Amino acid sequence: MAPDRLFGLILAVIFSMTPSVSVAGEKLLRVSDFGARPNDGKDDSAAIQAALSRGCKEPGSVIRFSAGIYDVSRMLLVNRARDMTLACSGTVFVLHEPVTLLDVSNTSGFRAGGLSVQYIPAPSFLVRIAGRVSESELRVHSRVAYSGPVEGLLGMDLASRRPSGRDLYMREKPAQSKAASPGTLEISGLRKGFLPPVGSWTAVRQKIYGPPVIRFAHCRDIALGAIQVSSGPGMGMLFLYCEDIRLRKIRVTPLSRSRALSTNADATHFNSCRGAIVFDGCTFERMGDDAINIHGTYLRLKDVLSPKSIRVVTGRRDVDWMPVSPRAGDQISIHSPQNPFGDPLFLGIVVSTKSEPSTRSAEVSFQGGVPQELPEDAVVWNRSASPRLTVRNCTFLNNRARGILVQCGNALIEHNWFEGMSGSAINVTCDVGTWWESGPTENVTIRNNMIAHCNDGAGASAGAISVFADAPGIPPQRGVHRRVRIENNSIRQVLRAGISISSSADVIISGNAIREVFGPGVLVRSSTDVKISNNRFEEVTENVAHE
């Protein structure tokens, strides 16, 4: 039996001991009745899709999967379902193509648990650097005979499985890999001067932002529990324009220590969601990017169309996703390009939105009048697309970038363990420079977390906990983030500051233990009303620095 498939059977046994979601009194649909049988090696995509399609027509349906491996070759769709449950216990989905496993849209009330997902072949793998063939070509030793594009190379510490060394992105002009001889690959098309040390280990990512493993769009009331994502060609779980999401005991971790990465990009990513987002008891390890990213999307003003309407476009100019369409009743603010986080030039309530996919734009109409002299490229922020975030009792280990990006109004982050990520453990931020992710935060509490061995690689920021606003070319914006509480955290062995505060007001930093920091314990810049008390500092360059 192939090793990957054996791992799948082991997962099936482990997950069979995990209770599936509760299913009492609902309409039961067994995928076996539609022809999907575990462990038979056949493609179960059509049979599972038939069961899901039936469930979409019958509110309250429970789709029952037996323990074992289901082979899937194409994306499974759930659309316009109501109160659907995927009831699994020891269920393993194996994908043989780099496609999304499950796409759920326009659905209210969705439950799933007791399942795991893996890709065969895995979308990332480890290689050992053998040497340079030319200025733009490497020879590497590999157990995987892969020929095709390579979008990323990420240095890895083999003992700790931490990301380390050079991190090369090649999304616009991917390199190419080909088998040179048994056990050897040649990777060509690299930037000149890129040469990891001979004998070092590197993770190869064929894709960086490939299809997500699970995708939700325009859904509400989502509860996911006891789900393992072992690998993925892009993000693990992507949520777009969703409301009220609960994730409990989610694991995004590789199958074994010999694997390079879990997901090639973020473990979980939330764009323009609302309501409450809750993580409880989850584990995230060795992703190619962030563990949790919660954000809205800043737009740019294109035109004032009438006394009551404007046209907006995506804030970032080089992306191909659609601009976020505000809902009727949303509150929109428009800000000067020179003061993007300051007092708004206009604040209004949306009446209607009309999207135009071909131009990635949207026409937005308001209840009252719109100023006719608004500057072109003014920053447009949907204040209503800002969820409440809770992250507790979670573990974050050895990923390429950051632990949590908080870009929403309210957040509570407590009793978590962060260790080994190359970037900050926690970033509280927003930006109109790189990703155009909104928005400013208020009422953020970060308490009783343990943070170690972070912020020394590709995703590094000013501190292990960093609060800032990013607006390149513009003087520091003050008072962007408000009412931030950072209390009783343990921070040790990190580069740069232990805690970095910028562009903030009304901040309390109290009761933290900060030691072995290669920078100041606390760094404060462009902020007001920052109270620092009762912290313990050991082996830092200075306790508190103001710039």
Side-chain angles (χ1 to χ4, degrees):
M1 179 179 290
D4 286 319
R5 201 162 185 87
L6 177 60
F7 274 120
L9 286 173
I10 293 171
L11 283 175
V13 172
I14 294 172
F15 273 80
S16 66
M17 298 183 288
T18 303
S20 64
V21 291
S22 176
V23 291
E26 290 93 350
K27 301 172 183 176
L28 184 61
L29 299 172
R30 299 181 186 276
V31 296
S32 58
D33 293 337
F34 294 80
R37 305 283 197 281
N39 305 322
D40 62 4
K42 297 179 181 179
D43 186 356
D44 297 304
S45 304
I48 296 173
Q49 184 60 66
L52 294 174
S53 298
R54 174 75 65 82
C56 291
K57 299 175 182 178
E58 299 182 9
S61 292
V62 175
I63 316 298
R64 171 70 73 181
F65 294 81
S66 299
I69 295 175
Y70 292 85
D71 293 274
V72 177
S73 63
R74 60 183 175 86
M75 184 166 59
L76 304 174
L77 301 174
V78 173
N79 185 33
R80 301 191 182 280
R82 185 155 57 89
D83 299 325
M84 175 183 284
T85 298
L86 302 192
C88 304
S89 181
T91 303
V92 179
F93 294 100
V94 172
L95 292 101
H96 301 281
E97 299 291 337
V99 298
T100 293
L101 168 67
L102 182 65
D103 186 287
V104 184
S105 58
N106 306 301
T107 290
S108 175
F110 185 89
R111 309 284 183 269
L115 63 92
S116 68
V117 186
Q118 62 170 302
Y119 287 74
I120 302 176
S124 65
F125 56 94
L126 280 173
V127 301
R128 186 163 57 86
I129 304 300
R132 182 185 292 281
V133 178
S134 67
E135 287 189 343
S136 60
E137 187 173 5
L138 292 176
R139 179 173 285 116
V140 302
H141 297 305
S142 172
R143 295 179 180 177
V144 178
Y146 172 71
S147 295
V150 173
E151 290 191 354
L153 294 175
L154 173 60
M156 300 287 291
D157 182 289
L158 192 61
S160 65
R161 286 297 187 271
R162 288 194 67 213
S164 63
R166 298 283 300 273
D167 178 25
L168 187 63
Y169 265 56
M170 299 165 288
R171 289 187 63 201
E172 293 182 0
K173 294 182 178 180
Q176 295 292 321
S177 175
K178 66 178 181 179
S181 60
T184 302
L185 302 180
E186 290 182 353
I187 302 176
S188 60
L190 300 173
R191 298 170 190 162
K192 293 181 179 180
F194 178 82
L195 179 61
V198 173
S200 65
W201 290 86
T202 295
V204 174
R205 290 186 279 179
Q206 298 98 309
K207 285 277 190 180
I208 295 176
Y209 292 103
V213 178
I214 302 174
R215 177 183 182 271
F216 291 86
H218 303 284
C219 297
R220 63 176 303 275
D221 187 16
I222 303 165
L224 307 177
I227 293 177
Q228 164 93 40
V229 175
S230 301
S231 56
M235 296 179 181
M237 298 181 183
L238 175 62
F239 300 84
L240 305 172
Y241 330 124
C242 295
E243 183 173 355
D244 292 329
I245 304 157
R246 299 178 300 285
L247 303 178
R248 185 173 183 270
K249 294 186 177 179
I250 301 298
R251 293 180 60 85
V252 181
T253 63
L255 279 176
S256 69
R257 286 182 56 82
S258 65
R259 301 303 175 90
L261 302 172
S262 53
T263 55
N264 281 5
D266 298 354
T268 63
H269 193 105
F270 303 76
N271 186 352
S272 300
C273 294
R274 304 165 190 250
I277 299 175
V278 179
F279 288 84
D280 188 4
C282 300
T283 301
F284 305 102
E285 182 177 6
R286 262 187 280 160
M287 297 76 61
D289 214 323
D290 307 309
I292 299 173
N293 188 358
I294 314 282
H295 68 87
T297 298
Y298 283 119
L299 306 175
R300 291 183 293 112
L301 178 68
K302 184 64 175 177
D303 298 297
V304 176
L305 300 176
S306 75
K308 290 190 175 183
S309 66
I310 61 173
R311 183 174 303 283
V312 295
V313 295
T314 306
R316 187 173 174 179
R317 299 173 190 269
D318 62 341
V319 296
D320 55 7
W321 57 69
M322 272 292 298
V324 177
S325 298
R327 302 177 185 174
D330 283 354
Q331 186 181 60
I332 300 293
S333 59
I334 300 178
H335 304 256
S336 164
Q338 286 72 46
N339 190 17
F341 310 122
D343 293 336
L345 305 174
F346 168 73
L347 188 65
I349 302 299
V350 175
V351 172
S352 64
T353 301
K354 180 181 178 182
S355 296
E356 296 184 4
S358 62
T359 58
R360 295 188 293 115
S361 67
E363 179 180 338
V364 183
S365 299
F366 296 91
Q367 288 180 359
V370 176
Q372 300 300 290
E373 302 301 323
L374 290 171
E376 186 177 357
D377 280 345
V379 175
V380 180
W381 174 32
N382 186 349
R383 293 170 174 257
S384 298
S386 185
R388 305 179 304 278
L389 172 66
T390 301
V391 183
R392 57 166 58 99
N393 303 320
C394 294
T395 300
F396 303 81
L397 296 173
N398 298 332
N399 62 298
R400 173 195 161 274
R402 295 142 293 257
I404 306 174
L405 277 79
V406 181
Q407 299 171 109
C408 58
N410 296 267
L412 171 62
I413 300 171
E414 63 178 0
H415 302 294
N416 303 289
W417 173 28
F418 302 84
E419 185 165 359
M421 58 275 305
S422 75
S424 301
I426 303 167
N427 271 5
V428 179
T429 183
C430 57
D431 84 281
V432 291
T434 304
W435 296 102
W436 286 71
E437 293 179 353
S438 64
T441 64
E442 57 183 2
N443 300 320
V444 172
T445 298
I446 302 170
R447 66 190 181 198
N448 300 313
N449 300 285
M450 298 188 66
I451 300 170
H453 300 100
C454 296
N455 210 36
D456 59 356
S461 186
I465 298 176
S466 289
V467 184
F468 63 101
D470 184 14
I474 298 173
Q477 306 283 292
R478 294 180 176 269
V480 179
H481 306 287
R482 297 179 177 273
R483 293 182 292 282
V484 179
R485 307 291 181 260
I486 303 175
E487 300 170 329
N488 302 317
N489 300 283
S490 171
I491 303 172
R492 63 183 178 86
Q493 293 179 318
V494 299
L495 289 186
R496 301 174 174 83
I499 299 170
S500 173
I501 302 295
S502 178
S503 300
S504 301
D506 187 5
V507 179
I508 294 176
I509 302 173
S510 176
N512 301 284
I514 303 174
R515 62 188 178 91
E516 299 175 70
V517 171
F518 297 93
V522 176
L523 174 63
V524 180
R525 298 174 294 176
S526 305
S527 298
T528 58
D529 193 17
V530 179
K531 299 181 177 64
I532 303 172
S533 65
N534 301 318
N535 300 284
R536 300 185 302 281
F537 300 101
E538 297 180 25
E539 298 183 56
V540 300
T541 58
E542 56 184 314
N543 291 354
V544 179
H546 293 268
E547 294 183 0

